[in-house]
Amino acid sequence: MRPFQYERADTLEGAVKAAGTGGATQFIAGGTTLSDLMKLDVMRPERLVDVNPAAGGPAGRIEATKSGLRLGAMVRMAEAAEHPAVKTDYPVIAQALQLAASQQIRNMASLGGNLLQRTRCEYFRQVSWPCNKREPGSGCAAMDGVNRLHAVLGTSDACIASYPGDFAQALVALDAVVETVREKGGARRIALSDLHRPPGDTPQVETVLEPGELITAITVPAGPWTRRSLYLKIRDRDSYAFALASAAVALDLDGEVVREARIALGGIATVPWRAREAEAALRGKTMDEAAATAAAEAALAGAQPRGDNAFKVPLAKQTIVRALMDAKRMET
Amino acid sequence: MNSKRDHGGLDRRGFLGVGAGTAATLPLLSSLAGAATPPPAPPPDPRAATNVTLRINGQDHRLAIDPRTSLLDALRDHAGLTGAKKGCDHGQCGACTVLVDGTRVLSCLTFAVMAQGREITTIEGLAGPGGALHPMQQAFIDHDAFQCGYCTPGQIMSAVACVQEGHAQSDADIREYMSGNLCRCAAYPNIVAAVRQAKSEMEGA
Ligand SMILES: Cc1cc2nc3c(=O)[nH]c(=O)nc-3n(C[C@H](O)[C@H](O)[C@H](O)COP(=O)(O)OP(=O)(O)OC[C@H]3O[C@@H](n4cnc5c(N)ncnc54)[C@H](O)[C@@H]3O)c2cc1C
Ligand code: SF4
Ligand code: FES
Ligand code: FES
């Protein structure tokens, strides 16, 4: 691992100041992404600004009100997953967190850091391989390599890496917003659906955040669909594995008729993927298996499998159908 | 025996610490220039050892370590506590699980400098006074919950926390909340049985 300077920040403002706007500084929260990738020499920060001391302030709190949910960026995954209001009123969020990683990692990892976790593409993680995300212009070893875990939606000629997380899908489905602070330009609010950038020609640029921009909180608006919501995650093993395919769904039903559906997909796309075509296909329809299947077809219409990952197309469709039917049956 | 080992680590690394200390006196030179605003001090050497105090199993350990040192390496190589194991060093196996302020975490993904001021508990700190085994340790023996034993310190630390969190309500619950600890020997059924036994003892006590 390359040497780095280590600094602690007691407040979020202090952290932003300490980080400055140079690209060589990284915030460190749980460190579960960062220290892993530093050991692999994939991430090479010259300075780490430890934001954990700020967890004692608002950034470490969860507030649930009538208008919605506010999750401090320093809240740990385990704490949010077990928060009573999150579990009852936003089950899709609690489940997405609960089904991620292991209890040890959930105890360490922060919600802000979770959103910014990096892909698990093995070629990205091993510096001996060409990888446009790690080393722009070097090529993409996954394109014609072992790409079973890679994305079928949102890909480009430069990169097909899938976004590995779960939590962001729940947030995208519920129209969440991240609040940030910057040293120059101050605070801003970014819709979660705008936070992550599809790879395009610049897979190395993964989010719209500026260097030194700190996520302080995540807000989730209340809505009639948040209680009838769930996260379905399909994996190679029952626990402690990344998603092969996952669906975050939320339904607002009028009897059996869909007033509003929210669907986001994981494991199969380069970014947390909001399936708006599938939502549109469901609106006004009776929520049955045929409607769910039509929605799933719409969601995957643009899928571009590449070799080993072709199985993800039918798998994702089945995941959507099951998630929707399970959500319909939920008692709220 | 422990404290002897600590001194070994401290002396060897403490030497580097002295080097870092003298570097800090460099800015004195700038006063010779007599300028009102002295030139900025050279950036500190990121490789220089830094002094950290880790509170491990109720005892303070003063260590001079490179900031890159993981908590796992600090425990094993500097504090002489080799109970926590390095399976993968990447957060994937759980062999390095320790408690920090009573919460189970992975010491391989924790930088030691970030664990200052926290209460760290390792497998060495689990037994009671006089060496009486913790109910979880005894249960692992009773149920033969290991073969090679490499994953066992991590399994036991994780299991203690699992019970304390209230996540050992059923066998399915135990399996789910112990999934962060892999066992290459696949002693899983016996581990579940051990956790179940220790749970009733820990809660009865
Ligand atoms: C074995 C393993 C299995 C896993 N399985 C899953 C899984 O199934 N599902 C899943 O979703 N995740 C999984 N993860 C990923 C894990 O959830 C993330 O590593 C974790 O959430 C990252 O949070 P952190 O606080 O540790 O981030 P850090 O490692 O501290 O930081 C990650 C990045 O975010 C930046 N950052 C951190 N906080 C902020 C902030 N507030 N503002 C701006 N930037 C910030 C850092 O600078 C860094 O670049 C797994 C990880 C491992 C090691
Ligand atoms: S898929 Fe993306 S991350 Fe993986 S090797 Fe190709 S460019 Fe790199
Ligand atoms: S050594 Fe830490 S999880 Fe494997
Ligand atoms: S006992 Fe051998 S790895 Fe678990």
Side-chain angles (χ1 to χ4, degrees):
Chain A
M1 189 185 296
R2 290 169 200 237
F4 58 83
Q5 306 279 358
Y6 168 79
E7 245 176 85
R8 273 162 187 268
D10 291 326
T11 61
L12 297 180
E13 296 68 34
V16 170
K17 211 155 181 224
T21 50
T25 300
Q26 289 279 328
F27 299 113
I28 184 160
T32 61
T33 286
L34 194 51
S35 71
D36 177 30
L37 292 175
M38 285 168 69
K39 288 182 195 195
L40 293 169
D41 204 26
V42 171
M43 290 181 79
R44 302 168 176 180
E46 288 166 19
R47 276 170 78 233
L48 293 186
V49 174
D50 181 354
V51 292
N52 289 290
R61 287 201 282 272
I62 298 175
E63 289 161 35
T65 62
K66 273 211 181 76
S67 60
L69 193 61
R70 186 190 169 82
L71 304 164
M74 292 303 304
V75 171
R76 305 295 155 175
M77 288 171 73
E79 192 192 337
E82 302 199 7
H83 190 276
V86 180
K87 279 170 87 167
T88 6
D89 296 338
Y90 305 85
V92 63
I93 294 179
Q95 291 164 16
L97 290 166
Q98 184 54 49
L99 295 171
S102 67
Q103 185 70 10
Q104 288 97 315
I105 293 171
R106 295 190 294 269
N107 282 338
M108 300 170 74
S110 67
L111 298 183
N114 182 285
L115 297 177
L116 303 179
Q117 64 181 291
R118 313 287 306 271
T119 185
R120 304 298 291 196
C121 171
E122 276 301 322
Y123 301 108
F124 171 74
R125 291 173 59 83
Q126 304 297 333
V127 291
S128 52
W129 292 92
C131 167
N132 289 325
K133 189 186 276 300
R134 178 167 33 72
E135 221 179 297
S138 64
C140 170
M143 211 56 86
D144 297 306
V146 178
N147 51 27
R148 177 175 178 270
L149 300 177
H150 288 70
V152 296
L153 289 171
T155 57
S156 73
D157 290 342
C159 177
I160 57 171
S162 59
Y163 175 79
D166 298 294
F167 176 50
Q169 279 75 354
L171 296 178
V172 156
L174 299 184
D175 287 320
V177 169
V178 294
E179 297 180 355
T180 72
V181 280
R182 295 169 288 181
E183 201 189 4
K184 293 201 180 78
R188 61 170 172 159
R189 293 164 54 81
I190 304 168
L192 214 110
S193 52
D194 295 332
L195 179 65
H196 296 88
R197 292 175 33 137
D201 295 336
T202 53
Q204 73 277 15
V205 187
E206 293 178 354
T207 70
V208 298
L209 297 180
E210 295 167 9
E213 184 165 6
L214 183 73
I215 300 175
T216 53
I218 300 151
T219 58
V220 186
W225 44 77
T226 68
R227 273 182 160 241
R228 186 182 294 282
S229 71
L230 61 82
Y231 190 73
L232 178 63
K233 180 174 178 182
I234 307 298
R235 310 174 255 191
D236 275 328
R237 61 183 177 201
D238 240 15
S239 183
Y240 198 24
F242 289 92
L244 294 172
S246 70
V249 302
L251 290 178
D252 178 21
L253 296 179
D254 178 6
E256 300 227 319
V257 175
V258 179
R259 260 195 292 252
E260 196 70 55
R262 301 301 178 85
I263 305 172
L265 305 175
I268 60 160
T270 51
V271 293
W273 191 265
R274 178 86 180 258
R276 292 188 193 273
E277 301 80 3
E279 296 174 4
L282 281 173
R283 211 164 288 132
K285 299 271 159 48
T286 300
M287 186 66 256
D288 57 17
E289 196 141 338
T293 306
E297 291 295 338
L300 274 293
Q304 289 189 304
R306 203 175 165 96
D308 305 337
N309 63 1
F311 78 101
K312 284 191 172 181
V313 178
L315 183 67
K317 289 181 192 169
Q318 288 156 20
T319 306
I320 296 168
V321 172
R322 202 174 111 195
L324 286 169
M325 297 310 289
D326 285 354
K328 178 194 173 184
R329 284 189 285 268
M330 276 176 78
E331 298 195 2
T332 61
Chain B
M1 187 181 87
N2 271 348
S3 58
K4 222 195 235 160
R5 275 185 173 174
D6 297 341
H7 280 267
L10 202 59
D11 288 345
R12 190 159 47 88
R13 292 286 164 159
F15 178 71
L16 291 173
V18 172
T22 48
T25 63
L26 271 178
L28 273 181
L29 291 175
S30 61
S31 65
L32 293 177
T37 47
D45 177 6
R47 286 184 174 79
T50 142
N51 284 312
V52 303
T53 302
L54 296 182
R55 189 154 182 83
I56 311 165
N57 302 327
Q59 221 183 328
D60 281 339
H61 293 248
R62 256 176 73 80
L63 311 170
I65 54 169
D66 185 310
R68 287 172 285 184
T69 312
S70 68
L71 177 58
L72 177 60
D73 286 345
L75 291 170
R76 294 181 53 84
D77 300 346
H78 298 268
L81 297 167
T82 55
K85 295 289 181 277
K86 185 181 287 189
C88 65
D89 213 21
H90 287 282
Q92 299 175 3
C93 75
C96 64
T97 303
V98 300
L99 307 185
V100 172
D101 291 341
T103 300
R104 50 176 157 160
V105 301
L106 301 175
S107 59
C108 73
L109 293 187
T110 305
F111 285 115
V113 287
M114 293 170 67
Q116 293 177 86
R118 321 283 295 272
E119 196 74 46
I120 300 154
T121 311
T122 68
I123 189 78
E124 288 92 341
L126 211 53
L133 292 185
H134 185 281
M136 193 61 76
Q137 292 174 304
Q138 188 59 52
F140 267 64
I141 294 171
D142 293 347
H143 290 273
D144 215 4
F146 49 83
Q147 289 181 47
C148 76
Y150 197 80
C151 71
T152 312
Q155 297 278 2
I156 291 179
M157 297 313 290
S158 193
V160 168
C162 181
V163 171
Q164 284 167 352
E165 290 158 7
H167 287 148
Q169 302 305 325
S170 64
D171 285 5
D173 209 23
I174 294 170
R175 280 193 204 96
E176 171 58 32
Y177 281 92
M178 288 295 292
S179 70
N181 293 82
L182 305 187
C183 176
R184 180 70 172 71
C185 303
Y188 298 113
N190 298 6
I191 293 171
V192 173
V195 177
R196 205 191 305 128
Q197 171 182 313
K199 174 186 183 275
S200 49
E201 284 170 27
M202 285 168 70
E203 290 174 353

PDB file of all heavy atoms in Angstrom, chain B residues 159-172:
ATOM      1  N   ALA B 159     -19.657 -14.759  17.148  1.00  0.00           N
ATOM      2  CA  ALA B 159     -20.789 -15.427  17.801  1.00  0.00           C
ATOM      3  C   ALA B 159     -21.177 -14.740  19.109  1.00  0.00           C
ATOM      4  O   ALA B 159     -22.367 -14.612  19.417  1.00  0.00           O
ATOM      5  CB  ALA B 159     -20.438 -16.902  18.056  1.00  0.00           C
ATOM      6  N   VAL B 160     -20.188 -14.289  19.857  1.00  0.00           N
ATOM      7  CA  VAL B 160     -20.477 -13.572  21.103  1.00  0.00           C
ATOM      8  C   VAL B 160     -21.315 -12.330  20.789  1.00  0.00           C
ATOM      9  O   VAL B 160     -22.347 -12.053  21.411  1.00  0.00           O
ATOM     10  CB  VAL B 160     -19.166 -13.182  21.829  1.00  0.00           C
ATOM     11  CG1 VAL B 160     -19.426 -12.187  22.955  1.00  0.00           C
ATOM     12  CG2 VAL B 160     -18.469 -14.433  22.368  1.00  0.00           C
ATOM     13  N   ALA B 161     -20.877 -11.595  19.765  1.00  0.00           N
ATOM     14  CA  ALA B 161     -21.615 -10.387  19.389  1.00  0.00           C
ATOM     15  C   ALA B 161     -22.990 -10.745  18.832  1.00  0.00           C
ATOM     16  O   ALA B 161     -23.981 -10.060  19.120  1.00  0.00           O
ATOM     17  CB  ALA B 161     -20.818  -9.589  18.350  1.00  0.00           C
ATOM     18  N   CYS B 162     -23.055 -11.819  18.087  1.00  0.00           N
ATOM     19  CA  CYS B 162     -24.319 -12.256  17.483  1.00  0.00           C
ATOM     20  C   CYS B 162     -25.365 -12.476  18.578  1.00  0.00           C
ATOM     21  O   CYS B 162     -26.504 -12.023  18.468  1.00  0.00           O
ATOM     22  CB  CYS B 162     -24.067 -13.545  16.693  1.00  0.00           C
ATOM     23  SG  CYS B 162     -25.511 -14.208  15.868  1.00  0.00           S
ATOM     24  N   VAL B 163     -24.964 -13.145  19.651  1.00  0.00           N
ATOM     25  CA  VAL B 163     -25.892 -13.374  20.767  1.00  0.00           C
ATOM     26  C   VAL B 163     -26.231 -12.046  21.446  1.00  0.00           C
ATOM     27  O   VAL B 163     -27.402 -11.752  21.711  1.00  0.00           O
ATOM     28  CB  VAL B 163     -25.271 -14.367  21.781  1.00  0.00           C
ATOM     29  CG1 VAL B 163     -26.119 -14.440  23.049  1.00  0.00           C
ATOM     30  CG2 VAL B 163     -25.123 -15.744  21.146  1.00  0.00           C
ATOM     31  N   GLN B 164     -25.216 -11.228  21.682  1.00  0.00           N
ATOM     32  CA  GLN B 164     -25.461  -9.956  22.373  1.00  0.00           C
ATOM     33  C   GLN B 164     -26.369  -9.026  21.566  1.00  0.00           C
ATOM     34  O   GLN B 164     -27.145  -8.264  22.130  1.00  0.00           O
ATOM     35  CB  GLN B 164     -24.131  -9.263  22.696  1.00  0.00           C
ATOM     36  CG  GLN B 164     -23.426  -9.925  23.875  1.00  0.00           C
ATOM     37  CD  GLN B 164     -21.973  -9.480  24.039  1.00  0.00           C
ATOM     38  OE1 GLN B 164     -21.424  -8.784  23.179  1.00  0.00           O
ATOM     39  NE2 GLN B 164     -21.355  -9.896  25.139  1.00  0.00           N
ATOM     40  N   GLU B 165     -26.270  -9.109  20.242  1.00  0.00           N
ATOM     41  CA  GLU B 165     -27.133  -8.270  19.390  1.00  0.00           C
ATOM     42  C   GLU B 165     -28.580  -8.745  19.397  1.00  0.00           C
ATOM     43  O   GLU B 165     -29.472  -8.052  18.916  1.00  0.00           O
ATOM     44  CB  GLU B 165     -26.646  -8.340  17.927  1.00  0.00           C
ATOM     45  CG  GLU B 165     -25.330  -7.668  17.640  1.00  0.00           C
ATOM     46  CD  GLU B 165     -24.674  -8.232  16.363  1.00  0.00           C
ATOM     47  OE1 GLU B 165     -25.314  -9.037  15.651  1.00  0.00           O
ATOM     48  OE2 GLU B 165     -23.516  -7.876  16.109  1.00  0.00           O
ATOM     49  N   GLY B 166     -28.802  -9.979  19.877  1.00  0.00           N
ATOM     50  CA  GLY B 166     -30.143 -10.558  19.788  1.00  0.00           C
ATOM     51  C   GLY B 166     -30.404 -11.196  18.438  1.00  0.00           C
ATOM     52  O   GLY B 166     -31.547 -11.339  18.012  1.00  0.00           O
ATOM     53  N   HIS B 167     -29.334 -11.602  17.757  1.00  0.00           N
ATOM     54  CA  HIS B 167     -29.471 -12.183  16.427  1.00  0.00           C
ATOM     55  C   HIS B 167     -29.254 -13.692  16.424  1.00  0.00           C
ATOM     56  O   HIS B 167     -28.804 -14.253  15.420  1.00  0.00           O
ATOM     57  CB  HIS B 167     -28.493 -11.508  15.458  1.00  0.00           C
ATOM     58  CG  HIS B 167     -28.903 -10.114  15.091  1.00  0.00           C
ATOM     59  ND1 HIS B 167     -27.996  -9.122  14.815  1.00  0.00           N
ATOM     60  CD2 HIS B 167     -30.127  -9.543  14.975  1.00  0.00           C
ATOM     61  CE1 HIS B 167     -28.648  -8.002  14.534  1.00  0.00           C
ATOM     62  NE2 HIS B 167     -29.936  -8.229  14.627  1.00  0.00           N
ATOM     63  N   ALA B 168     -29.535 -14.333  17.567  1.00  0.00           N
ATOM     64  CA  ALA B 168     -29.391 -15.794  17.612  1.00  0.00           C
ATOM     65  C   ALA B 168     -30.702 -16.418  18.071  1.00  0.00           C
ATOM     66  O   ALA B 168     -30.726 -17.345  18.865  1.00  0.00           O
ATOM     67  CB  ALA B 168     -28.231 -16.162  18.548  1.00  0.00           C
ATOM     68  N   GLN B 169     -31.811 -15.899  17.527  1.00  0.00           N
ATOM     69  CA  GLN B 169     -33.136 -16.334  17.991  1.00  0.00           C
ATOM     70  C   GLN B 169     -33.540 -17.705  17.449  1.00  0.00           C
ATOM     71  O   GLN B 169     -34.391 -18.367  18.015  1.00  0.00           O
ATOM     72  CB  GLN B 169     -34.202 -15.297  17.606  1.00  0.00           C
ATOM     73  CG  GLN B 169     -33.952 -13.891  18.157  1.00  0.00           C
ATOM     74  CD  GLN B 169     -33.783 -13.869  19.674  1.00  0.00           C
ATOM     75  OE1 GLN B 169     -34.435 -14.646  20.378  1.00  0.00           O
ATOM     76  NE2 GLN B 169     -32.899 -13.027  20.176  1.00  0.00           N
ATOM     77  N   SER B 170     -32.958 -18.095  16.324  1.00  0.00           N
ATOM     78  CA  SER B 170     -33.284 -19.400  15.740  1.00  0.00           C
ATOM     79  C   SER B 170     -32.052 -19.867  14.974  1.00  0.00           C
ATOM     80  O   SER B 170     -31.120 -19.091  14.766  1.00  0.00           O
ATOM     81  CB  SER B 170     -34.453 -19.251  14.760  1.00  0.00           C
ATOM     82  OG  SER B 170     -34.050 -18.414  13.687  1.00  0.00           O
ATOM     83  N   ASP B 171     -32.085 -21.120  14.541  1.00  0.00           N
ATOM     84  CA  ASP B 171     -30.943 -21.614  13.755  1.00  0.00           C
ATOM     85  C   ASP B 171     -30.781 -20.815  12.467  1.00  0.00           C
ATOM     86  O   ASP B 171     -29.663 -20.492  12.055  1.00  0.00           O
ATOM     87  CB  ASP B 171     -31.125 -23.107  13.434  1.00  0.00           C
ATOM     88  CG  ASP B 171     -30.867 -23.978  14.660  1.00  0.00           C
ATOM     89  OD1 ASP B 171     -30.651 -23.411  15.757  1.00  0.00           O
ATOM     90  OD2 ASP B 171     -30.884 -25.216  14.528  1.00  0.00           O
ATOM     91  N   ALA B 172     -31.920 -20.479  11.853  1.00  0.00           N
ATOM     92  CA  ALA B 172     -31.849 -19.700  10.609  1.00  0.00           C
ATOM     93  C   ALA B 172     -31.241 -18.326  10.880  1.00  0.00           C
ATOM     94  O   ALA B 172     -30.433 -17.815  10.101  1.00  0.00           O
ATOM     95  CB  ALA B 172     -33.243 -19.561  10.005  1.00  0.00           C
TER      96      ALA B 172
END
